[in-house]
Amino acid sequence: MVRLVFIDMDDTFVGPDKTIPRDNLRILDVAAERGVQFVPCTGRSLRGVPRELVTHPSVRHAVCGGGALVYDVRSGEIIREVPIAKELVRSLYEDVRDQRVTFDLFTPEGVFASREHLPLYNQIEMTEATRRMVVSQRTFVECDTEELIERTPTICRVNVLFGDERGRRVTWDAVEARPELFGASSIPMNVEVTSAEATKGTALVWLCERLGVDVADTVAFGDSGNDVAMLDVAGDAVAMENASPEVKAHARHVAPRCELAGVARYLEPLLV
């Protein structure tokens, strides 16, 4: 029996053009009729979760920041928050500050970045749809990153975009040298850093416990490295056809491609 459906956003529920296929919207209606809850489980901020989801009756909660924040979307209340210790953020930045990378701070209030890095967002290799989404979700401030870290009370995630291969290697080495941190990627040119206690998988288990739902009654959909922890614990782990081989290796089933409304096509026989 399916009771909770955890869905990654980009290239899973949302197509490459950042729109939601019509059949995926329709399956939300079916879920609401059956009493099944959809849970957006994303690296995005709550602001970045499509309005069609946030306002839909089948959606009551959202996991954001790669698992660092869980929201009650109806009240806007944060019901789980797992920050990164400030000293860890400082030391991580010291290791990467001389590289061609961004250093974006994900907080309960939104995503903040120093304006000094703004030109780099236009140089990093990514699709234009992804670039527009990334830039639109950030608030750029008039101070350097070091000052921004000190001014930010709670940091739940750090997102680093690489301008070159050296930046990628240095950043991954710095994250892996700190066992208190967890790193994952949603696109080839980034690493999303959270507390080791904050992954999409730990958020899935936590929310199930809060709602009294057996994890066995969950289905999770994903396509990239930051979805693996979620797929590893879900009752049914589904990778998209467009997923990386790594993700497919952690899945029990494969759904059609995201732009073909693979989530809806996989779920429909389970919900009707």
Side-chain angles (χ1 to χ4, degrees):
M1 179 177 65
V2 179
R3 295 186 61 190
L4 287 177
V5 178
F6 289 81
I7 46 169
D8 173 56
M9 292 288 95
D10 298 294
D11 297 324
T12 296
F13 195 74
V14 177
D17 63 355
K18 306 306 175 186
T19 65
I20 302 174
R22 182 185 306 173
D23 283 347
N24 279 353
L25 292 174
R26 180 181 55 79
I27 205 68
L28 294 176
D29 297 333
V30 175
E33 293 170 2
R34 302 295 188 273
V36 174
Q37 290 188 44
F38 267 69
V39 183
C41 200
T42 177
R44 298 186 185 195
S45 65
L46 184 61
R47 167 185 166 187
V49 178
R51 181 168 176 78
E52 298 99 318
L53 282 164
V54 174
T55 60
H56 197 276
S58 68
V59 179
R60 301 179 186 177
H61 302 91
V63 174
C64 297
L69 293 165
V70 182
Y71 289 88
D72 178 325
V73 299
R74 296 183 179 178
S75 67
E77 176 189 3
I78 297 171
I79 57 176
R80 182 178 190 251
E81 177 181 299
V82 185
I84 306 174
K86 184 69 74 71
E87 58 269 23
L88 277 173
V89 179
R90 291 191 194 101
S91 67
L92 182 65
Y93 182 61
E94 283 300 313
D95 281 2
V96 306
R97 63 182 304 163
D98 294 330
Q99 306 303 313
R100 290 185 64 245
V101 299
T102 71
F103 201 85
D104 311 335
L105 306 184
F106 193 111
T107 80
E109 291 74 37
V111 187
F112 297 88
S114 171
R115 188 171 292 278
E116 66 183 357
H117 291 306
L118 187 55
L120 189 54
Y121 292 89
N122 292 320
Q123 301 168 18
I124 292 172
E125 185 178 349
M126 64 182 95
T127 68
E128 287 308 311
T130 297
R131 195 186 319 278
R132 286 193 298 270
M133 182 198 69
V134 167
V135 172
S136 70
Q137 290 185 23
R138 281 147 179 77
T139 299
F140 293 93
V141 296
E142 300 291 347
C143 68
D144 62 26
T145 300
E146 191 170 33
E147 181 181 348
L148 179 59
I149 293 170
E150 297 308 315
R151 285 169 42 179
T152 305
T154 302
I155 300 170
C156 294
R157 191 185 77 167
V158 173
N159 189 74
V160 180
L161 291 163
F162 319 122
D164 52 36
E165 176 60 19
R166 176 173 171 77
R168 185 192 70 80
R169 291 198 310 269
V170 169
T171 304
W172 271 110
D173 287 348
V175 173
E176 291 171 352
R178 295 167 170 83
E180 308 95 331
L181 298 177
F182 174 80
S185 291
S186 57
I187 50 179
M189 68 294 299
N190 88 332
V191 59
E192 301 162 1
V193 185
T194 59
S195 162
E197 299 175 1
T199 70
K200 290 186 179 184
T202 60
L204 183 154
V205 172
W206 182 89
L207 188 58
C208 284
E209 291 175 352
R210 179 181 175 92
L211 300 178
V213 173
D214 192 324
V215 171
D217 295 331
T218 66
V219 182
F221 294 84
D223 74 289
S224 60
N226 69 350
D227 299 316
V228 166
M230 173 176 70
L231 297 180
D232 281 345
V233 298
D236 186 9
V238 185
M240 310 307 293
E241 178 57 41
N242 52 277
S244 66
E246 173 199 7
V247 174
K248 290 179 180 177
H250 288 263
R252 297 182 184 177
H253 299 99
V254 175
R257 298 182 63 84
C258 60
E259 62 266 36
L260 300 178
V263 170
R265 291 175 64 182
Y266 184 89
L267 281 176
E268 191 155 26
L270 303 181
L271 299 184
V272 296

